[in-house]
Amino acid sequence: MDIDWTFIEPIVYLVWLGGAVAFVLGLIRMNSPATARNGNLLSAGGMALAILATAFLLFVKPSVASTEAGEVATGFNTVGWLVILAGIALGGGFGLYTARTVKMTAMPQLVSLFNAVGGGAAALIALDDYLKFASAGTVPGLQVNVATVLDVVIGSITFTGSLIASGKLMGLKITPSRPVRIPGGQLTTLVLALVTIAGALFLWSGNVSLPVMGVILLAALIFGVTMTLPIGGADMPVVISLLNSFTGMAVAMAGFVLGNPVLIIGGALVGASGAILTKLMADAMNRSVLNIMIGGFGGGEGTVGAAAGAGGSVRELGMDDAAIQLAYASSVIVVPGYGLAVAQAQHAVRELAEILEARGVDVKYAIHPVAGRMPGHMNVLLAEANVPYPQLKEMEDINPEFDRCDVALVIGANDVTNPAARKPGSPVSGMPILDVDHAKNIIVMKRSMGRGYAGIDNELYVNPKTGMLFADAKQGLADLIAAVKSL
């Protein structure tokens, strides 16, 4: 049966446009925790729509092959479809497995791995297209040529940089969380950048050369490593967001290479949203993105710091004393952090809050923009435990309330509560923090005196108003709940 291809193509493009609109509307709905889930589903629906339209396009569009007599139709491409279906099965299966098995605390590492896959795939698309031009001995048009080289460069940097970032967050020995200084690293990075620029200009001037493209590819891959290794663990969430933006740009360049508007629109959305998120996270730490990229900030979490390092002594608090403070308070502000997420204690903290509210205590949650390992981390965890959205307060809204708060309960948060950020000369100087030290009484629940990702002692722990409750967040909250109930 003959199909009017000229009639089908515009319809497919309109469906692609509908998918792009779904992407945009989904991003808008992700601005609020109350609509984020529906926004995610809407964006996923838009992607499914785009995939189905593309599959239909490939099914009805006649395949062509180049011969000496010109391009001739070859009919249905069975091998191509088998490759596509195998890719969907493998990729979809891996995605489903990771979605169901990876813990929320490991989500930043997973996002970084996804960035690597996206950047690498985009670079491979450009390389495949360039190999076709090189084998035919033809020079691609300037628009395609520029997009191809940029795709290879950005995608390759994203690939290796994201792998290093993921390894740092995992704490692998080969990629430790601390900044790793490479001998002559800045000079090496500069040389790599100059080599990449020189190779790109050579190709853009009308030359076709596989060796030059290979040099550009190698330089970009090494650049991703030398760029990310010197960055400390405290800055990894910002770096991952930046690399996510790079992935979007690489995908958009792949769209220009293939002439696919869906890739261009989707990549541009990811690139723009990633860039905005990176800026917001950098602002939340009161540091510029450039400073983060060259600062080498953060020695990695888990190091035990002496109390004297913060200029005082630590007061340990008993479980019963903590329960009395909470049960007879008028206002309690809970400050969740990464320790709560690791212990999966979100349900326990919600139960404690409900018990306190039943006793007439006003309970709120203070959410720092970079609490946990990525923006929205705490919001998602607490929403999973059915904590009411109105109780989740952003830093700007909750900070004035600490002065009127009877008890601030800090669970697993460290650097985002450190008063040292208000003093010059500290590695966290200028970083906006939660004003926990303004509360009348402070209870800090954590397993040990370990430092946060900034690698410095927390002055809050030696504050005379602070009582340290040493316990795993989940077990500690369970004991605290039992103690409050017994009053």
Side-chain angles (χ1 to χ4, degrees), residues 223-241:
F223 186 93
V225 176
T226 59
M227 178 189 76
T228 313
L229 268 182
I231 302 173
D235 288 328
M236 273 305 111
V238 182
V239 175
I240 288 174
S241 179

Side-chain angles (χ1 to χ4, degrees), residues 79-139:
V79 175
W81 268 99
L82 288 175
V83 172
I84 291 172
L85 292 175
I88 292 175
L90 289 173
F94 177 74
L96 181 62
Y97 172 77
T98 53
R100 291 185 174 276
T101 58
V102 173
K103 296 180 179 179
M104 185 62 195
T105 50
M107 197 57 64
Q109 295 95 299
L110 181 63
V111 170
S112 190
L113 287 176
F114 284 166
N115 286 343
V117 171
L124 287 175
I125 288 173
L127 286 171
D128 176 70
D129 198 69
Y130 193 79
L131 285 172
K132 293 177 182 177
F133 282 110
S135 61
T138 58
V139 179

Side-chain angles (χ1 to χ4, degrees), residues 52-307:
L52 289 174
T54 304
F56 179 73
L57 176 66
L58 293 174
F59 185 81
V60 301
K61 184 178 179 180
S63 301
V64 297
S66 297
T67 65
E68 294 182 359
E71 292 186 341
V72 296
T74 59
F76 186 75
N77 190 342
T78 304
V79 175
W81 268 99
L82 288 175
V83 172
I84 291 172
L85 292 175
I88 292 175
L90 289 173
F94 177 74
L96 181 62
Y97 172 77
T98 53
R100 291 185 174 276
T101 58
V102 173
K103 296 180 179 179
M104 185 62 195
T105 50
M107 197 57 64
Q109 295 95 299
L110 181 63
V111 170
S112 190
L113 287 176
F114 284 166
N115 286 343
V117 171
L124 287 175
I125 288 173
L127 286 171
D128 176 70
D129 198 69
Y130 193 79
L131 285 172
K132 293 177 182 177
F133 282 110
S135 61
T138 58
V139 179
L142 184 60
Q143 177 179 332
V144 174
N145 204 355
V146 170
T148 299
V149 175
L150 290 178
D151 194 359
V152 171
V153 172
I154 299 172
S156 300
I157 292 174
T158 304
F159 178 71
T160 52
S162 296
L163 289 178
I164 297 297
S166 181
K168 278 179 170 288
L169 286 175
M170 291 179 186
L172 301 179
K173 290 184 178 180
I174 194 172
T175 54
S177 297
R178 69 178 186 278
V180 178
R181 298 295 182 185
I182 303 172
Q186 291 184 343
L187 179 60
T188 301
T189 301
L190 178 62
V191 170
L192 291 171
L194 292 175
V195 168
T196 302
I197 293 171
L201 293 175
F202 175 79
L203 296 180
W204 292 342
S205 62
N207 299 292
V208 176
S209 173
L210 284 178
V212 173
M213 179 59 81
V215 170
I216 292 175
L217 173 65
L218 182 61
L221 290 171
I222 298 174
F223 186 93
V225 176
T226 59
M227 178 189 76
T228 313
L229 268 182
I231 302 173
D235 288 328
M236 273 305 111
V238 182
V239 175
I240 288 174
S241 179
L242 180 64
L243 291 169
N244 179 253
S245 180
F246 284 4
T247 300
M249 289 188 285
V251 171
M253 291 301 106
F256 282 110
V257 171
L258 298 178
N260 189 311
V262 173
L263 286 178
I264 296 172
I265 295 171
L269 285 173
V270 173
S273 59
I276 293 170
L277 179 59
T278 302
K279 180 65 167 58
L280 291 174
M281 292 178 67
D283 289 345
M285 299 174 70
N286 198 32
R287 305 174 67 210
S288 68
V289 176
L290 181 61
N291 180 256
I292 288 171
M293 300 307 292
I294 65 176
F297 170 60
E301 68 174 349
T303 307
V304 176

Side-chain angles (χ1 to χ4, degrees), residues 38 53 112 129 167 194 245 331 352 423-424 442 460 469 475:
N38 290 336
S112 190
D129 198 69
L194 292 175
S245 180
S331 172
L352 175 63
K423 301 177 182 178
I442 306 160
L460 180 70
L469 194 60
Q475 184 59 48

Side-chain angles (χ1 to χ4, degrees), residues 415-428:
D415 297 326
V416 298
T417 65
N418 195 342
R422 303 193 192 105
K423 301 177 182 178
S426 166
V428 293

Side-chain angles (χ1 to χ4, degrees), residues 39 41 132 171 201 225 229 232 279 311 328 340 344 370 376 392 412-413 427 465 476 485:
L41 291 174
K132 293 177 182 177
L201 293 175
V225 176
L229 268 182
K279 180 65 167 58
Y328 294 102
L340 179 140
Q344 290 290 289
V370 292
L392 306 180
K465 296 185 291 183
K485 285 181 176 179

